Amino acid sequence: MASTGLLVVSHVKRFAQSLKALQKYEYVNSLYIHLNVPPTNVPVPSYGRLISQLYVDGSRFIDKDLNILIGTLKTQTASMHLKPVDLIFSDAHHPEICERLRQQLQIEKPTIYLHGDENTNDLAEYQQLGPEDKIRAYNNVVLGGTFDRIHLGHKIFLSQAVIRACSRLVVGVTTSKLTRSKTLHELILPVEQRIENVRLFLNEIDSTLHYEVVPIDDPFGPTKSDPNMDMIVVSAETLKGGEKVNELRRQNNLKPLDIFCIDLVDASDSSGPKESKVSSSNTRIDLLGSRLRKPEPRPYLTSEPYIIGLTGGIASGKSKMAQRLRGMGAFVIDCDKVAHEIYEPGQVCYNKVVEEFGDRILDDCKRIDRTKLGPIVFADPQKLEKLNGIVWPELMVEVKRRIRALVEKKEFPKVVVLEAAVLIKAGWEREVHEVWSMIISPEEAVRRVVERNNISEEDAKRRLASQPSNSEIVAKSHVVFSSQWDTNFTLTQAEKAWQMLMGEIKSSRETSSNL
């Protein structure tokens, strides 16, 4: 069972060694860091550089969620609003500190001393004693950002603001109006969820401050009008934005803010399309080919074969992804091809379409001529809806018939992929165990359609506007891919998802056989 630990750090020089020693406690999946600072009058911001370095070192040496406590740096009697802590570890023998924490956190188990009875403390060596503007604290501090899925860079950014705030910290969290230019912005969490995640993190690391975590629809948020602000924290990337804030404040007869700028954190993995810095964009890129949410139970579907609905917008790369999955072992049903077949004379769908739209849609061989049918339905939304109301149900009837025919064979595939551009519009999510989707940026989709179909950019945009948006597709998807970048990276996403699915199917079969 997963649990939470707290590491008392007194000896920074062996922090990496301590983290490596903690790796054997595999059941501890998250870790708080309590800095055992010596009792001095040194300003709390003097530990800012150390906190950033510990976060970076922690990401390199341990695969656990790590949060550094700041409230207890300000006052040892600070209340702690932490998740339940199961174990205390210490990198030096300081039983009085560990016992106080055990009592405060109501931990029954004894402290685990990682390095024996040595009681050293070298934290004083890591205090930054100047310049004064680097270690000054302020009553009211402000910062802003997207804060999508709190990561290492966010923790450093927020922590540098927290250690410089004495009473109030304002955090502006951008809404969707400001995130549309972000990489894979469709995967960004709702602003309400991001606000809650920021609030939870802040209250964990320091419960002594008053927090105002607010949504912002413009780059400046409350900084352009709030007179009770003293300092803004920015990154090297947003420094110009901080300077613009002060321009606006001067125009509004408000005092300019002191600016504290932190460095960007280098990413440990900048392969493929990833940025060289730690960023939410990299986090979202890592989500491609992973499960975004657990599939809903479908008790009315047979467990085998496992049916995946593969969908996506025009030119998103659905067919190529279907080919990749076929190569990995899936049986692919191309719904566009099946739709052509049920349009043939003698089929139920053919009869219903001709009955509705008349002989004028037929060619000389009495087959449905799409070049005649298309202009009729695309010029009249009600007629298009009528056509879809005929074709989609008949198409699903035929798909189900083909899946039943597969099952009747002695050896049928573990996985069936239903490739269907209309899957979301037709409401077929309930006909599959889960939905996998392909997305690319609208700009890239338009470029590809213009190049592939030899049509104007305006026509391509109209086609794009007639289909579900990327956000609508992602909202219905359990796994998302993107062919925005090179072919090898798209293949990597496919392999990642397929390996995950095969592992789950194997585990499910083993569980069933043991019942």
Side-chain angles (χ1 to χ4, degrees):
M1 183 178 176
S3 63
T4 300
L6 183 146
L7 173 62
V8 179
V9 173
S10 306
H11 198 118
V12 176
K13 289 186 180 69
R14 60 185 178 200
F15 184 62
Q17 184 182 351
S18 298
L19 294 181
K20 290 176 182 176
L22 281 168
Q23 286 286 42
K24 69 179 181 180
Y25 299 93
E26 295 179 358
Y27 53 88
V28 176
N29 65 349
S30 58
L31 191 67
Y32 293 113
I33 302 295
H34 174 85
L35 297 176
N36 183 22
V37 298
T40 63
N41 293 322
V42 174
V44 174
S46 65
Y47 289 102
R49 184 180 296 167
L50 172 62
I51 288 170
S52 294
Q53 189 58 52
L54 292 179
Y55 268 122
V56 172
D57 289 346
S59 69
R60 291 173 180 165
F61 294 112
I62 197 167
D63 185 23
K64 301 182 191 295
D65 184 43
L66 187 149
N67 289 340
I68 299 174
L69 304 180
I70 294 174
T72 50
L73 288 177
K74 297 177 178 179
T75 170
Q76 288 192 347
T77 58
S79 61
M80 291 189 280
H81 296 170
L82 312 181
K83 293 176 289 190
V85 177
D86 306 291
L87 280 170
I88 289 184
F89 303 91
S90 181
D91 66 359
H93 193 72
H94 292 286
E96 68 290 349
I97 299 294
C98 297
E99 186 58 30
R100 176 172 59 79
L101 289 169
R102 281 184 64 235
Q103 295 296 326
Q104 188 174 356
L105 298 171
Q106 299 180 344
I107 299 172
E108 295 181 0
K109 296 177 182 178
T111 300
I112 297 174
Y113 294 98
L114 300 174
H115 307 292
D117 296 335
E118 189 177 347
N119 63 350
T120 56
N121 190 316
D122 65 358
L123 266 72
E125 299 176 31
Y126 293 87
Q127 296 168 352
Q128 181 184 357
L129 300 179
E132 195 273 339
D133 64 321
K134 298 292 185 183
I135 59 172
R136 181 180 171 187
Y138 300 78
N139 283 327
N140 302 284
V141 176
V142 63
L143 76 163
T146 305
F147 300 109
D148 180 37
R149 298 175 176 86
I150 302 294
H151 57 60
L152 169 65
H154 293 145
K155 291 183 178 185
I156 292 174
F157 191 31
L158 291 165
S159 295
Q160 294 301 327
V162 168
I163 62 174
R164 287 168 174 78
C166 296
S167 59
R168 172 176 172 246
L169 178 63
V170 179
V171 184
V173 181
T174 56
T175 66
S176 58
K177 289 183 179 180
L178 296 178
T179 59
R180 289 171 187 154
S181 63
K182 301 278 186 182
T183 300
L184 296 171
H185 68 88
E186 301 89 351
L187 299 182
I188 294 176
L189 294 172
V191 66
E192 297 82 6
Q193 190 172 346
R194 288 181 279 128
I195 286 174
E196 182 61 18
N197 290 344
V198 169
R199 188 178 286 120
L200 286 172
F201 173 75
L202 293 173
N203 278 307
E204 280 195 353
I205 65 171
D206 185 359
S207 62
T208 68
L209 297 177
H210 170 69
Y211 295 113
E212 296 173 21
V213 188
V214 297
I216 56 174
D217 290 324
D218 68 79
F220 308 106
T223 60
K224 61 182 182 291
S225 57
D226 190 333
N228 300 314
M229 288 183 173
D230 306 309
M231 193 264 277
I232 184 170
V233 178
V234 299
S235 68
E237 195 175 49
T238 59
L239 177 57
K240 288 184 179 179
E243 293 168 347
K244 181 64 177 177
V245 163
N246 280 338
E247 273 184 48
L248 289 174
R249 290 181 69 85
R250 290 187 186 97
Q251 291 172 14
N252 294 333
N253 296 316
L254 299 172
K255 68 175 181 180
L257 306 177
D258 284 354
I259 298 176
F260 181 80
C261 182
I262 69 168
D263 294 327
L264 299 173
V265 181
D266 291 339
S268 58
D269 176 15
S270 57
S271 60
K274 291 184 181 179
E275 298 176 324
S276 59
K277 61 170 184 173
V278 171
S279 69
S280 293
S281 295
N282 286 357
T283 302
R284 290 191 294 277
I285 288 170
D286 282 336
L287 288 175
L288 296 173
S290 302
R291 180 156 286 129
L292 300 181
R293 59 183 63 84
K294 188 177 179 180
E296 301 79 6
R298 299 276 191 257
Y300 50 85
L301 294 178
T302 58
S303 58
E304 293 184 341
Y306 193 83
I307 306 170
I308 293 171
L310 177 63
T311 192
I314 188 171
S316 62
K318 294 183 300 298
S319 296
K320 287 185 178 178
M321 179 57 70
Q323 290 172 14
R324 291 185 180 96
L325 296 175
R326 180 185 286 114
M328 294 174 190
F331 183 90
V332 176
I333 297 176
D334 183 339
C335 286
D336 190 50
K337 290 182 179 178
V338 177
H340 278 79
E341 293 171 18
I342 64 173
Y343 266 34
E344 287 296 306
Q347 297 289 329
V348 174
C349 183
Y350 172 91
N351 295 332
K352 289 183 177 180
V353 172
V354 173
E355 182 181 346
E356 178 65 32
F357 295 99
D359 291 347
R360 58 180 174 158
I361 65 169
L362 301 178
D363 62 17
D364 294 339
C365 298
K366 299 299 182 182
R367 284 189 165 87
I368 294 174
D369 188 337
R370 292 191 175 210
T371 63
K372 294 180 179 179
L373 178 61
I376 296 171
V377 297
F378 289 121
D380 186 338
Q382 288 185 339
K383 289 181 178 178
L384 178 60
E385 186 177 348
K386 191 73 176 178
L387 177 65
N388 290 337
I390 295 171
V391 175
W392 289 348
E394 293 300 327
L395 181 52
M396 181 48 63
V397 167
E398 176 61 18
V399 166
K400 288 181 176 179
R401 186 194 67 76
R402 295 188 182 199
I403 292 175
R404 285 197 303 272
L406 279 176
V407 174
E408 288 170 3
K409 296 179 180 180
K410 291 183 179 179
E411 293 185 6
F412 56 87
K414 296 178 185 176
V415 178
V416 169
V417 171
L418 191 62
E419 181 193 346
V422 301
L423 188 137
I424 303 297
K425 270 193 168 184
W428 290 348
E429 314 96 271
R430 292 181 54 79
E431 305 296 343
V432 298
H433 290 97
E434 62 178 295
V435 176
W436 291 8
S437 63
M438 296 290 299
I439 62 171
I440 53 173
S441 68
E443 297 76 16
E444 177 64 10
V446 168
R447 187 194 68 78
R448 291 182 186 182
V449 172
V450 168
E451 184 179 294
R452 185 186 70 185
N453 295 22
N454 195 28
I455 61 175
S456 69
E457 187 174 313
E458 292 71 25
D459 284 342
K461 287 180 178 178
R462 275 195 291 271
R463 292 193 184 189
L464 213 64
S466 69
Q467 62 184 23
S469 67
N470 282 345
S471 295
E472 290 174 298
I473 292 171
V474 168
K476 300 280 189 178
S477 301
H478 302 92
V479 175
V480 173
F481 308 104
S482 178
S483 63
Q484 183 80 21
W485 300 282
D486 65 72
T487 302
N488 287 337
F489 184 62
T490 311
L491 176 60
T492 298
Q493 299 168 46
E495 291 172 339
K496 181 178 176 183
W498 187 258
Q499 289 170 8
M500 171 196 70
L501 182 62
M502 290 300 100
E504 290 175 351
I505 289 175
K506 180 181 178 182
S507 176
S508 176
R509 284 182 171 179
E510 289 175 350
T511 301
S512 298
S513 64
N514 291 331
L515 293 179

